[in-house]
Amino acid sequence: YSWYFNRDKLVTDNVKYFVSTDQLTVKNMDLSDKGSFRCIVTNNVGVAAAQVKLTHKAPNIIIPVRQQNGMEGSTITMDVKWEGNPPPTMEWIKQGEVIATRSPEGVVTTVSSKYDMTSKGYLIIHDLAPEDAGSYSFRIQNA
């Protein structure tokens, strides 16, 4: 197996690029990894090649947060639609304070068990109370 990035032969240093038989792993990907990765396999019968193109799409909010109302004691889900590649860090902010964060790896951190965040970035607020009223916003960013 020979691996190439764009037109250059890839040096597998086992730090950023790691090859295990027929699989290439790229660790800590960033914008410099945008491009084409190609694998060429040669044996006594012939040659075969496979290519994959790595793309990047800046995070963008397609459908913003909208005003919602709920009954005291109920659970509501605040949704937002976004796009981006690689997956961004997502944050929900209430009155200027970050109340929930989801890392690109899917780790959710909240200031209270009252809040949760789905893989799509929706904010779930459990057991609604009058103090939950306020201004909420959603922020996404890639490192």
Side-chain angles (χ1 to χ4, degrees):
Y1 298 93
S2 297
W3 288 92
Y4 294 82
F5 176 63
N6 293 326
R7 294 185 177 179
D8 300 324
K9 186 163 183 168
L10 213 93
V11 176
T12 55
D13 56 11
N14 292 336
V15 175
K16 182 160 180 80
Y17 303 107
F18 179 78
V19 174
S20 172
T21 313
D22 60 348
Q23 183 176 356
L24 171 68
T25 301
V26 182
K27 297 181 181 176
N28 300 315
M29 295 182 83
D30 57 34
L31 288 176
S32 68
D33 296 309
K34 182 178 171 184
S36 296
F37 288 87
R38 188 168 32 117
C39 179
I40 299 176
V41 180
T42 307
N43 66 17
N44 58 356
V45 178
V47 176
Q51 181 171 308
V52 64
K53 187 172 186 176
L54 181 64
T55 60
H56 176 269
K57 184 169 185 109
N60 181 41
I61 295 174
I62 300 168
I63 300 174
V65 179
R66 59 181 170 74
Q67 182 175 336
Q68 286 190 262
N69 298 308
M71 299 288 292
E72 191 169 340
S74 68
T75 296
I76 66 165
T77 301
M78 298 181 72
D79 58 340
V80 62
K81 187 170 182 182
W82 58 271
E83 62 184 359
N85 187 28
T89 297
M90 298 178 261
E91 295 178 325
W92 278 93
I93 301 147
K94 178 187 176 199
Q95 310 289 105
E97 177 192 355
V98 175
I99 58 169
T101 302
R102 184 178 189 92
S103 73
E105 298 78 26
V107 177
V108 175
T109 307
T110 62
V111 297
S112 164
S113 60
K114 176 180 208 59
Y115 303 113
D116 198 7
M117 192 186 311
T118 70
S119 60
K120 292 183 178 183
Y122 299 172
L123 177 68
I124 300 169
I125 306 173
H126 301 282
D127 193 24
L128 278 178
E131 58 268 18
D132 294 320
S135 176
Y136 291 80
S137 59
F138 180 75
R139 177 172 55 203
I140 53 177
Q141 63 184 7
N142 280 336

